[in-house]
Amino acid sequence: MLDAEGVCRWAVGHSGRSPLSNGPERVPERIVGAQYLASLDVSAEGALVDLPRVGCPMLLRPRIR
């Protein structure tokens, strides 16, 4: 889930499991707190889109500590 500024506050793995699960679909901890930049959609002109789309990978900038 992205907040109003595009920062990831929580995420769910592909299988719908909680981000705290220990299964193979576990969401990497580095995603939480990362800044959303764009999504990759090969059906769009230029392949980059400004808003998240279902089934499209998202590009995130890692949080800076």
Side-chain angles (χ1 to χ4, degrees), residues 2-58:
L2 301 175
D3 67 12
E5 296 167 355
V7 175
C8 179
R9 295 298 170 199
W10 59 271
V12 177
H14 290 282
S15 71
R17 291 187 179 153
S18 147
L20 300 177
S21 70
N22 291 322
E25 298 85 9
R26 179 178 154 93
V27 174
E29 293 170 4
R30 68 181 179 269
I31 291 174
V32 176
Q35 174 75 44
Y36 173 78
L37 300 175
S39 287
L40 295 173
D41 185 350
V42 295
S43 68
E45 185 176 341
L48 287 176
V49 293
D50 59 346
L51 297 173
R53 295 188 179 175
V54 174
C56 294
M58 297 191 315

